[in-house]
């Protein structure tokens, strides 16, 4: 679909972020939202790391990506002759998305599901206690978050650097 018309290439980066919005709407908001939504689920899972997994996937995944996409759409129109640095844009796009996915898949979700299991076995109070939160598994989940977070930060920085070029082009085109 991306290659159907020439104008789609002109807007390829905003469109890619809009595609990411659809993905995170499905996974972050839909899948992870419904996972914690039913009354019986909330009885055992309210405010655990499963909520953080949903919160990040839905909030950044949907509205963060949408914000970036809209920003790029506006900038594209402000510097029509500028050749975007596709390599950097690619790195930024995939680092942001993969970083967010890793943050959820290898840290927040396993931590939340482990809390949920223990809430069923020992009670909700136990999985919110300092003893549980600082248990070796939960602490290892905090450290494993670093992987996704670093990749995500890298993506944000690369996007900022790429935007310097766009900013210069806008000033030159004025
Ligand atoms: C783009 C849409 C959505 C966004 C931006 C979003 C964002 C969030 C955020 C940031 C939180 C955490 C709030 C907190 O920690 O106090 C949250 C909680 C929650 N969300 Fe969503 N959400 C979205 C869609 C959905 C959907 C579709 C469902 C269910 C079908 C859902 C169900 C829930 C529930 C049940 C909680 C509370 C969980 C708890 O108290 O532990 N959300 N949402």
């Amino acid at each position: 679909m991306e290659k159907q018309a020439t104008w789609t290439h002109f807007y390829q980066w905003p469109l890619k972020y809009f595609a990411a919005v659809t993905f995170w709407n499905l996974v972050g908001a839909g899948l992870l939202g419904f996972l914690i939504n039913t009354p019986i689920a909330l009885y055992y899972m309210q405010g655990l790391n499963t909520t953080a997994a949903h919160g990040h996937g839905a909030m950044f995944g949907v509205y963060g990506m949408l914000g970036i996409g809209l920003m790029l759409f506006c900038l594209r129109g402000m510097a029509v002759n500028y050749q975007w640095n596709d390599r950097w844009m690619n790195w930024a796009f995939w680092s942001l998305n993969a970083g967010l996915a890793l943050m959820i898949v290898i840290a927040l979700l396993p931590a939340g599901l482990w809390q949920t299991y223990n809430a069923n076995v020992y009670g909700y109070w136990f999985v919110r206690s300092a003893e549980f939160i600082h248990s070796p598994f939960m602490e290892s989940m905090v450290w494993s978050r670093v992987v996704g977070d670093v990749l995500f930060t890298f993506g944000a920085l690369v996007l900022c650097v790429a935007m310097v070029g766009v900013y210069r082009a806008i000033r030159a085109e004025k």
Side-chain angles (χ1 to χ4, degrees):
M1 294 296 286
E2 220 178 283
K3 298 187 174 80
Q4 294 297 305
T6 42
W7 70 264
T8 53
H9 184 73
F10 184 71
Y11 284 115
Q12 65 163 320
W13 291 110
L15 288 174
K16 279 211 167 78
Y17 280 89
F18 296 152
V21 172
T22 65
F23 172 81
W24 288 108
N25 236 325
L26 179 74
V27 178
L31 206 66
L32 297 175
F34 276 102
L35 177 77
I36 57 172
N37 192 50
T38 59
I40 188 69
L42 280 175
Y43 184 79
Y44 291 103
M45 300 169 90
Q46 187 150 27
L48 304 185
N49 277 278
T50 36
T51 298
H54 161 64
H56 286 76
M59 191 64 100
F60 193 88
V62 177
Y63 294 107
M65 297 298 172
L66 183 64
I68 297 175
L70 291 172
M71 174 188 80
L72 296 179
F73 176 77
C74 296
L75 291 174
R76 183 66 283 194
M78 289 168 79
V80 284
N81 298 318
Y82 181 65
Q83 285 289 324
W84 292 58
N85 188 327
D86 285 344
R87 206 158 150 235
W88 287 36
M89 294 304 287
N90 218 20
W91 271 105
F93 178 79
W94 287 109
S95 302
L96 284 170
N97 280 285
L100 184 60
L102 283 175
M103 181 198 295
I104 293 168
V105 173
I106 66 171
L108 296 175
L109 196 56
L113 294 177
W114 180 235
Q115 279 183 299
T116 304
Y117 171 74
N118 281 279
N120 273 275
V121 177
Y122 303 106
Y124 182 76
W125 65 272
F126 177 58
V127 297
R128 299 289 302 245
S129 67
E131 187 191 352
F132 187 85
I133 294 293
H134 295 291
S135 61
F137 178 75
M138 291 300 283
E139 293 219 337
S140 68
M141 285 298 103
V142 173
W143 282 107
S144 72
R145 235 192 106 150
V146 173
V147 181
D149 288 14
V150 167
L151 191 58
F152 184 90
T153 309
F154 171 75
L157 290 175
V158 172
L159 184 66
C160 289
V161 174
M163 289 307 103
V164 173
V166 182
Y167 174 72
R168 283 205 182 126
I170 292 170
R171 285 180 66 103
E173 279 188 29
K174 263 189 187 168

